[in-house]
C-alpha cells in the first residue's frame, strides 16, 4: 500500500478527553498526555503531518457531536464500534484489543491444552460479565467462582482461595503490577480474543464521508506496528503486557 499524500491538508484535528488514564489525561503540569496522545503524534509523524497535527481534549459527551459538525477530524478516545455508530462514522482497523486472560499463582502456570488444565479448578470471574460467559463456554470443565466486586476476587486469589482468575487482561495487568497483588501471580495461557464476547477493541472514529483519512490512518497503524514503534509505545504505558 502506497503512502498517502496530503499536500492539500492544512491540519488533522484529533479529539480526545482528559479522564481516561493511561490513555488520555492531564499530567502534573496540566499537559494533555497519555497513550492516545502519543499514538496520534506517531500517526501524524508516519504520514509526514506532524507540523499539521492538533490534539484537543473535550468532554466525552461532546465528542460525537463535534465530529459530526466538523469541529474535529477524528476521535481517538475509545468510542465503541457498534452498528449504530457505523451509521454515523467510519472506523479504522482496531489499534488495541482487550483480550481475556487467566491469572494463576506463580509456579502454577497452565499447560496446554488449557481447557484440560483448568478442569476442576476454582476460577474466579466477575459475575454476569462477558468473561463469565466466555469462561463457561470455552472452558466448561472449570469450576467458576463468581464475584460481584473485583477486590474480593483479587483478595481470594492473593490469599490462595482460588486456583486462578479469568478476566479482562488490561484490568488484570494493573492488578499484577500493583502492590495489591503482593507479587503472588502472573498471566498464564492465552491471550483470548473474541469479537463475539469482547468486541472489536479500540478504533479511531472518523466522519462518515472521509474514507481517505481512514485509509491513511490504517496505513500509518500498519507501518507503526511493522517497524516496532507501536510496541515501544504500548510498553511505555502498559509495562505489564496483557498480551
Amino acid at each position: 500500500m502506497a503512502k498517502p499524500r496530503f499536500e492539500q491538508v492544512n491540519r488533522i484535528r484529533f479529539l480526545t478527553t482528559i479522564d481516561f488514564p493511561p490513555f488520555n489525561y492531564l499530567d502534573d503540569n496540566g499537559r494533555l498526555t497519555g497513550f492516545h496522545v502519543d499514538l496520534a503524534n506517531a500517526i501524524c509523524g508516519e504520514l509526514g503531518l506532524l507540523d499539521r497535527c492538533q490534539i484537543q481534549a473535550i468532554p466525552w459527551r461532546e465528542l460525537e457531536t463535534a465530529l459530526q459538525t466538523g469541529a474535529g477530524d477524528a476521535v481517538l478516545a475509545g468510542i465503541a464500534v457498534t452498528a449504530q455508530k457505523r451509521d454515523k462514522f467510519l472506523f479504522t482497523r482496531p489499534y488495541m484489543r482487550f483480550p481475556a486472560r487467566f491469572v494463576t499463582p506463580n509456579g502454577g502456570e497452565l499447560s496446554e491444552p488449557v481447557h484440560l488444565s483448568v478442569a476442576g479448578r476454582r476460577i474466579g470471574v466477575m459475575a454476569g460479565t462477558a468473561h463469565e460467559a466466555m469462561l463457561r463456554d470455552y472452558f466448561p470443565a472449570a469450576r467458576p467462582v463468581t464475584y460481584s466486586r473485583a477486590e474480593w476476587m483479587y483478595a481470594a486469589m492473593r490469599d490462595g482461595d482460588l486456583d486462578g482468575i479469568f478476566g479482562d487482561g488490561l484490568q488484570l495487568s494493573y492488578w499484577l503490577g500493583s502492590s495489591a497483588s503482593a507479587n503472588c501471580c502472573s498471566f498464564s495461557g492465552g491471550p483470548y480474543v473474541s469479537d463475539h464476547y469482547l468486541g472489536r477493541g479500540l478504533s479511531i472514529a472518523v466522519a462518515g464521508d472521509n474514507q481517505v483519512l481512514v485509509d491513511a490512518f490504517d496505513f500509518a497503524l500498519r507501518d507503526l506496528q511493522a517497524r516496532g514503534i507501536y510496541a515501544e509505545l504500548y510498553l511505555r504505558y502498559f509495562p505489564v503486557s496483557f498480551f
Side-chain angles (χ1 to χ4, degrees):
M1 181 178 178
K3 183 176 181 178
R5 301 176 65 89
F6 286 100
E7 289 84 353
Q8 305 303 317
V9 174
N10 294 321
R11 61 180 175 176
I12 294 181
R13 298 164 298 173
F14 284 98
L15 302 175
T16 189
T17 68
I18 62 172
D19 54 0
F20 189 28
F23 289 92
N24 27 269
Y25 60 99
L26 298 180
D27 66 14
D28 293 340
N29 296 316
R31 182 179 58 185
L32 183 63
T33 190
F35 177 84
H36 281 152
V37 176
D38 285 356
L39 180 59
N41 284 321
I43 289 171
C44 288
E46 200 67 24
L47 297 174
L49 297 171
L50 197 54
D51 60 336
R52 288 172 276 176
C53 188
Q54 298 179 357
I55 307 170
Q56 179 183 0
I58 64 176
W60 171 265
R61 65 182 180 276
E62 298 177 12
L63 286 173
E64 293 187 23
T65 299
L67 188 57
Q68 287 179 299
T69 59
D73 300 303
V75 170
L76 191 48
I79 289 181
V81 183
T82 65
Q84 292 77 15
K85 294 293 191 297
R86 284 188 178 278
D87 288 338
K88 298 189 291 185
F89 308 119
L90 299 175
F91 289 91
T92 66
R93 61 184 291 171
Y95 60 84
M96 184 173 288
R97 306 292 295 269
F98 296 109
R101 295 298 307 265
F102 282 104
V103 164
T104 56
N106 293 328
E109 291 77 10
L110 300 173
S111 58
E112 295 291 345
V114 172
H115 72 278
L116 295 181
S117 295
V118 298
R121 296 198 189 191
R122 289 169 49 84
I123 305 297
V125 66
M126 294 302 296
T129 62
H131 297 98
E132 181 188 357
M134 196 172 176
L135 176 65
R136 293 183 185 279
D137 289 348
Y138 280 29
F139 307 97
R143 294 173 56 197
V145 181
T146 59
Y147 291 85
S148 59
R149 297 182 63 174
E151 56 265 35
W152 296 344
M153 180 174 68
Y154 294 152
M157 185 73 229
R158 186 186 59 236
D159 295 343
D161 295 330
L162 293 172
D163 299 309
I165 288 174
F166 187 75
D168 175 64
L170 174 61
Q171 296 302 319
L172 289 172
S173 75
Y174 291 156
W175 180 66
L176 290 174
S178 73
S179 59
S181 72
N183 199 32
C184 71
C185 313
S186 58
F187 283 129
S188 183
Y192 303 98
V193 176
S194 168
D195 287 2
H196 174 70
Y197 289 99
L198 306 176
R200 292 183 70 248
L202 301 182
S203 296
I204 304 172
V206 175
D209 59 351
N210 203 341
Q211 184 63 48
V212 171
L213 196 55
V214 171
D215 293 342
F217 288 163
D218 280 345
F219 169 88
L221 289 169
R222 279 192 293 265
D223 212 42
L224 290 170
Q225 186 167 18
R227 298 198 294 118
I229 297 174
Y230 182 89
E232 295 175 8
L233 178 60
Y234 170 88
L235 291 174
R236 186 182 307 166
Y237 290 95
F238 307 100
V240 178
S241 175
F242 47 89
F243 275 93

